[in-house]
Amino acid sequence: MDAPLDARMQYWVSQFWTFLRQNDRAIDCLRAALAKAPQMREAWQYIGYLYSQRGDQAEALKALSEAVRLDPDDAETRFNLGFIMHQRGDDDGAIAQYKEVIRLKPSIDRAWYGLGAIYHARRDWGQAIPYLQQAAKLQYFNPYAGHLLATAYHLSGQQDKALEEWKRVDGFDPKAGAQIGREIGAPVRK
């Protein structure tokens, strides 16, 4: 069911206000749109994004949850919902969302990275490593995935793989490579 024209107009005006960096006005427009068309998924997505930008994670969580309820196959919105959950400390909720993102759209490297980062923080190397490997494969030049992958290898006793990952990252980001090298005890270069 499509939203009525006046709700759609409020949605479009919200984008104008966002362009002018008037996010509070944009949120007001989106609230008006949602009052007229509560099934308007894109308005829930957009208001969730704006709440997140404002730092209102509780409202962002509600809005993104409603957007996912309206369109459970929207991988990008699920990722954003998982990200907010992770920021709020609901790692189990984030894991569930990220796994669903991967099922729906396995090319979203951020979901692989998010899972790897959560399992890394839990020191669950067996879970962290495969997710971080895939994140690094999908986004080769992501030094953050490489950093966590190298330290996961190191902390799980796989020093050869840690050094290999350190060299890979160092090849495109020497600053990140130096940090990884310090953390895993890589040989000092002259």
Side-chain angles (χ1 to χ4, degrees), residues 169-187:
V169 173
D170 192 54
F172 66 83
D173 190 333
K175 185 176 179 181
Q179 178 65 34
I180 294 167
R182 285 189 295 276
E183 290 181 29
I184 68 169

Side-chain angles (χ1 to χ4, degrees), residues 13-50:
V13 171
S14 74
Q15 293 176 345
F16 169 77
W17 286 122
T18 302
F19 178 76
L20 295 177
R21 299 177 195 250
Q22 298 289 319
N23 289 356
D24 288 339
R25 287 183 169 185
I27 288 171
D28 290 341
C29 288
L30 290 165
R31 285 181 183 150
L34 290 167
K36 295 172 183 175
Q39 78 288 352
M40 193 174 175
R41 176 192 45 83
E42 61 268 38
W44 286 111
Q45 290 169 314
Y46 200 35
I47 201 169
Y49 166 77
L50 292 174

Side-chain angles (χ1 to χ4, degrees), residues 51 56 59 82 92 112 115 156 159:
Y51 282 134
D56 190 342
E59 288 300 318
D92 291 334
W112 294 94
L115 283 164
S156 69
Q159 192 63 11

Side-chain angles (χ1 to χ4, degrees), residues 100-140:
E100 188 63 12
V101 169
I102 288 169
R103 186 189 70 76
L104 292 166
K105 192 171 179 185
S107 63
I108 299 180
D109 62 290
R110 298 173 319 246
W112 294 94
Y113 174 76
L115 283 164
I118 291 170
Y119 287 119
H120 190 285
R122 291 179 172 183
R123 302 182 66 81
D124 184 345
W125 314 127
Q127 291 277 8
I129 289 171
Y131 289 117
L132 293 168
Q133 286 171 328
Q134 187 64 20
K137 179 180 175 186
L138 290 169
Q139 183 54 270
Y140 184 87

Side-chain angles (χ1 to χ4, degrees), residues 52-74:
S52 176
Q53 291 297 303
R54 188 161 87 175
D56 190 342
Q57 293 178 339
E59 288 300 318
L61 184 68
K62 288 179 198 174
L64 294 172
S65 294
E66 182 61 16
V68 166
R69 187 190 70 76
L70 291 168
D71 185 2
D73 293 334
D74 180 356

